[in-house]
Amino acid sequence: MTISSKPDRTANEVQQAEHGDADQMKRLLSQQLLQACRSSFHIFVWRIFDILHETRGVSFIDNWHVQAMCHELECVYRGENRRLLITVPPRHLKTICTSIGFTAWLLGHNPSTKVILATYGHDLSGSIFADLRRVMEHPIYRAIFPQAQIARIS
């Protein structure tokens, strides 16, 4: 039997291995979050809310009406529902869920999808389009849906 006073791994090697494990865990969690955003419209909406409000310091507060809108929009995506009318008061995330989020999610899953967005005014449509472009050009969106690209207007 041989007894060695030298440990198998130095403290520095152990620390590097733990740091590597932590990096690997972060990558794994990041990949799981990206997959969750691809498969769950509700999680995707949560993420794009953060993208659209990252400079304002506003956090997403989930509520039943957001979950209900996301569920019904997923039913539309799957073809289970062909018509949907959403009636909730102003400032309840209708535009983020529908015009911005659902459009980005549809185009992420199938970039050749044709979408018509209609609003009551030119200023609102410009704002929605700018937010949609901001979401689709964001690195997180490109990581979630790498095959979806938005054309540059020249």
Side-chain angles (χ1 to χ4, degrees):
M1 181 166 141
T2 306
I3 299 176
S4 172
S5 62
K6 183 180 177 188
D8 292 338
R9 298 168 89 181
T10 65
N12 190 28
E13 290 172 333
V14 170
Q15 188 177 26
Q16 286 176 346
E18 288 174 355
H19 182 70
D21 290 344
D23 287 344
Q24 184 177 5
M25 182 61 76
K26 285 179 186 176
R27 281 191 301 276
L28 179 61
L29 289 173
S30 176
Q31 288 300 317
Q32 288 176 335
L33 179 59
L34 295 176
Q35 181 57 39
C37 287
R38 274 184 218 105
S39 60
S40 168
F41 181 60
H42 181 249
I43 294 172
F44 179 74
V45 166
W46 196 319
R47 194 65 198 104
I48 67 161
F49 181 91
D50 291 343
I51 290 170
L52 292 171
H53 295 86
E54 63 191 350
T55 59
R56 297 183 201 162
V58 177
S59 298
F60 179 80
I61 300 173
D62 196 17
N63 204 333
W64 68 269
H65 72 280
V66 177
Q67 294 172 14
M69 285 189 289
C70 291
H71 171 77
E72 291 302 323
L73 287 164
E74 275 193 45
C75 289
V76 170
Y77 169 72
R78 290 191 301 265
E80 298 167 8
N81 189 352
R82 295 197 58 206
R83 296 171 190 211
L84 178 62
L85 176 65
I86 298 174
T87 56
V88 294
R91 313 281 308 156
H92 280 72
L93 299 182
K94 285 188 307 289
T95 300
I96 288 177
C97 287
T98 57
S99 300
I100 301 166
F102 194 58
T103 302
W105 203 61
L106 285 175
L107 293 171
H109 283 284
N110 184 358
S112 65
T113 300
K114 305 292 186 218
V115 179
I116 296 174
L117 295 176
T119 67
Y120 64 83
H122 180 65
D123 291 342
L124 179 59
S125 62
S127 172
I128 290 170
F129 183 71
D131 285 345
L132 177 60
R133 180 176 285 279
R134 202 163 96 213
V135 166
M136 292 184 73
E137 289 176 344
H138 198 279
I140 291 173
Y141 180 85
R142 289 192 308 234
I144 296 168
F145 298 114
Q147 74 281 9
Q149 303 228 349
I150 193 162
R152 292 275 176 207
I153 298 173
S154 52

